[in-house]
Amino acid sequence: MSKSDELTRREFLAYGGGAAGMLALAAVYSRNVTRIDTDAISSSTHQCDVLVIGGGMAGLFAAVKAHDAGASVMMVSKGRLGSSGLTPFAKGFFVFDPATETMTLDEYTYTVSRSALGTNNPVYTRQTAEHSLARAAELREWGFFDSNLYNKAFRRPVDARSIPVIERVVITHLFKEGRRVAGAAGFRLDAEATVTFRAKSVILCTGAGAFKPNGFPVCDLTHDGTIMAYNIGAKVTGKEWNDGHIGRAKNPAATYDGWGDMFDQRPSTEGVGVRHDLGVEVNYLAYMQGSPIEMGPASSIDGEPFRPAEFADVQRPSEAPAGRERPQSGGGPGAGGGPPARKGDANGGGGPGLGGGAPGMGGDAMGGASAGMAIHKSEGLVPINDQCESNVPGLFAAGDALGSYMCGAIYTQVGSSLAGSAVQGAVAGEAAARYSQGVELQAVPEDVLTSIEGEILAPLRREAGYGPAWVTQTLQGIMIPNFVLYIKKESMLRAALAYIEELRDHHMPMLRAADMHELRLAHETANMIVSAEMKLKASIMRTESRCSHYRLDYPQMDDENWRAWINIDKDEQGQMRLEKQAFDAWPAA
Amino acid sequence: MGVTVKPDLKKLIAIAALVVFVALPILFYALGDFPRRSVLKEAISLLTLVALSLMLGQFFLARSNMGVIELYNLRRIRTVHAVIANFAVSWLLLHPFLVVVPRFFEAGIEPWDAMTMMLTTYSSTGIALGLAAWVLLLVLTVTAIFRIRLIKALHTKYPRWRHFHGMLSIALTTFALLHAISLGRHTDTPMATMLIVVSVVGVAMLLRMYFPQRAGAPEPPSAPNVREQAR
Amino acid sequence: MTIQHIGGCIGCRECVLSCPCDVIRMDEAVNKAVIAYPADCQICHLCRMYCPVDAITLSPEKTIPVVVSWG
């Protein structure tokens, strides 16, 4: 093409497409004008016994307990200790105090199982309750309950133990040597540098993820841990479940404003209070009636998701003080069939306003605030035992990165998300320390590390490609609609899957990045694409409705075939493989 | 003639002073494109701006401004100088604390943690300048309160103390202004220009008194010139 | 506008560190925080709450189109 041709084409674009067209073009597919020298990227290597990835509640306890069990520990986080993921916004901490509770531990576990319709793993349900008091006591000692910001309290035990914390490093890859995990690699946000960690054991405390939705402070979580573990052969579960949070129609993306004064509150403890929350009832209502939704005591309509009668009355404010739970509770969102729980002031109601009665926030509701996220701790790595261990030797996960089914596939115990992360972090930390005592640090071949580094930096080195922001928006448009994500039917799931496979096959390999921030976006976008594929495939496979999974074409619960979880892993050909695992059973290691 | 004009002139000068040192900073604040925060925060900010401006005004309530002294008489000017010192200067001494005071009433980093973080941000020249200004202001205040005892103890004379007071205030103003320009959330170009112009005039007057151009020139400089500048 | 304004920044980097979504970066030349990637702001206010001098103002509006499930 001659120079004048090129000019003409440019002019055509400029005049024909107008400024908006040019902007859109710039954001979609265009030359990658990197703002950094991609040939001058440095690298560094660290080594330790136990590598903790993630700096939230699970990561804190994993690092502290692994250190106290004698391991040399390093922490690495995409953000800052106590200030990334969902931890900073979680305000309720469930404590089972035998001295004050009227239930026994077994009765509590059984109650959760009844609400969860069998989807919970009673071993993990019990474990959280059993250890919650001890973890809360430690947190109290560190000053956790004294501020609405957690960094200072989290730094206290970590600094006291001189545990190195490397912040603002995005981990994108895990690697193995033989069958065993041997470390992780990623890149720095603040420098043109890659970072490699060689470790005997890795604990993923990477949280869950979503599709960078609007209305829930989860936009930095994109299932990174799940996907990198899946890529080295770990089993993953829980992708068909949904967290059914709704938000405000006005300024839906403003999470702080949407949650009233909740982000301002200091955390506090919660006693036993088992609910059946944050399923898809409100999404079903919106699907059947349209928006704005009419919420009221008599709003239940035919065919709606099944709710056990025992847990029908979920708006007991005494049990669930609004705003004391992390964003996913508070009685409002997902609790179709009644007014939101209120707590004195107008903004104290259960999170973002419900349709027809947004507490103190006025205006209508919108759906999909947390789109792409499952019920906490129902999705993530499949544990092979009660020690948070995955099927990859040396690889552990805790908190929202572990598919422990601690509270099942529906939100049951108030405040158990934060408590569960603390308890599981501690369990995983000790288990990983024990594991690392029995193995040697493995030598990973240089060519393996070089190839991983190439994969990490690939989006920066592409001369042209797709902008990750545009691919993410396209994915959101495919996945987030109510009739795809929440109110499911096979034809629509298959249609969406066709789109997602297109993104996977054609766009994922062509994501571009101009700087380290965009490099992060590129990797996050790729993780969301794989997660979307998992979500759709698991949703197609589960031909029943239960808890937070609702199929319009299979509205009934099918106990005969579906008292089972769905596990996903990569087969020998690199294809996504789905299998059933019976409730109450452990998978083969 | 003088009998009828003088009271009006007095009034006029007082009004002009109020306009320059109080109304102008408020006006620039009101016209500026700053986000409006809570009433408490905005009140603290505004009072701090006015306090800074009034502190600059002290240059014009000194012997370097004989015109004003002659107009009103020394005692009254001294009283006004002292009143401003009491209120504006104390407010500015409290400024580092006032920055974090609103944190007592809202969520976020604890006030004392904010204070520590602020004072240990060594990378910031703005903070260093502010600290230097604060220390100088403290020295200035203490030496002003105990000036009689100080003069006695050091066996010196009042003019020497005055000289020291003036030079210290020039140094302090330099640091404080640079601090305000580099860090102040309300020091946009108009505000900064106003503060600089006022300071330059005030300091120039003081320097002119201390370092008269002609050797052996009477101190203070002739009144008409000063009056010209003050207007 | 998401993060709308940073005024009175002292360059302590607390906001850069505490932003979960890497929206804020330092302008090293002037040692002040700048809103580098506003499209990625989740309007969670952590930056504002960690700022020791309360320099950050946020707006509830997002700079890019918002995708929701129904509305």
Side-chain angles (χ1 to χ4, degrees), chain A residues 167-480:
Chain A
E167 292 171 335
R168 290 173 64 76
V169 165
V170 182
I171 297 295
T172 56
H173 287 68
L174 293 169
F175 48 83
K176 292 195 293 189
E177 184 51 33
R179 284 183 61 238
R180 286 159 41 193
V181 75
F187 59 91
R188 288 184 182 279
L189 287 169
D190 295 315
E192 281 103 57
T194 59
V195 190
T196 304
F197 295 89
R198 294 177 55 216
K200 294 175 181 174
S201 170
V202 175
I203 310 175
L204 294 175
C205 301
T206 41
F211 300 137
K212 294 188 185 273
N214 294 289
F216 208 78
V218 68
C219 296
D220 59 331
L221 296 184
T222 45
H223 299 289
D224 303 354
T226 297
I227 305 305
M228 62 180 123
Y230 165 78
N231 284 334
I232 62 160
K235 286 185 179 180
V236 167
T237 190
K239 287 296 171 179
E240 68 273 38
W241 314 114
N242 277 317
D243 173 292
H245 265 103
I246 62 171
R248 295 186 308 172
K250 192 186 175 203
N251 294 326
T255 58
Y256 176 85
D257 310 73
W259 287 101
D261 64 347
M262 204 172 91
F263 296 0
D264 287 351
Q265 292 176 14
R266 292 175 184 186
S268 60
T269 56
E270 305 278 351
V272 168
V274 179
R275 299 147 64 90
H276 184 92
D277 272 355
L278 295 173
V280 291
E281 284 156 307
V282 73
N283 293 292
Y284 180 78
L285 208 61
Y287 182 78
M288 299 307 281
Q289 297 185 345
S291 177
I293 46 171
E294 296 281 331
M295 298 288 292
S299 68
S300 69
I301 46 177
D302 286 349
E304 76 171 349
F306 173 71
R307 168 188 288 268
E310 181 190 353
F311 301 97
D313 178 23
V314 295
Q315 277 82 32
R316 283 168 296 185
S318 57
E319 269 191 12
R324 301 309 304 168
E325 174 54 2
R326 61 193 307 174
Q328 56 277 25
S329 161
R342 283 172 184 261
K343 188 205 178 191
D345 75 34
N347 283 343
L354 288 170
M361 291 165 202
D364 296 325
M366 63 89 195
S370 55
M373 187 171 87
I375 298 293
H376 293 279
K377 294 167 181 63
S378 68
E379 69 181 328
L381 267 61
V382 176
I384 58 164
N385 53 29
D386 64 351
Q387 298 296 300
C388 307
E389 199 170 353
S390 79
N391 59 311
V392 176
L395 181 61
F396 296 76
D400 277 1
L402 181 71
S404 66
Y405 288 103
M406 173 211 69
C407 69
I410 194 86
Y411 207 71
T412 52
Q413 170 59 47
V414 176
S416 63
S417 285
L418 201 50
S421 294
V423 168
Q424 291 174 6
V427 169
E430 284 169 4
R434 268 197 310 276
Y435 170 89
S436 64
Q437 277 164 11
V439 297
E440 292 297 313
L441 196 67
Q442 311 193 78
V444 181
E446 211 40 54
D447 59 318
V448 173
L449 296 178
T450 310
S451 122
I452 286 175
E453 190 178 282
E455 286 177 31
I456 292 172
L457 299 174
L460 275 176
R461 291 182 171 153
R462 280 186 190 112
E463 293 200 351
Y466 294 100
W470 175 78
V471 178
T472 291
Q473 278 208 332
T474 305
L475 176 134
Q476 289 177 333
I478 298 163
M479 292 300 295
I480 293 183

Side-chain angles (χ1 to χ4, degrees), chain B residues 142-162:
Chain B
V142 170
T143 53
I145 292 170
F146 299 108
R147 61 188 180 279
I148 306 296
R149 275 194 241 173
L150 211 63
I151 289 164
K152 272 190 188 155
L154 295 175
H155 304 291
T156 182
K157 294 232 156 56
Y158 193 72
R160 294 227 23 205
W161 175 84
R162 231 165 47 208

Side-chain angles (χ1 to χ4, degrees), chain A residues 80 255 283 480 515 517 520, chain C residues 14 20 22 37 40 69-70:
Chain A
R80 181 189 213 184
T255 58
N283 293 292
I480 293 183
D515 57 19
H517 176 81
R520 165 182 169 158
Chain C
E14 282 289 296
D22 190 28
Y37 306 100
D40 295 315
S69 291
W70 45 266

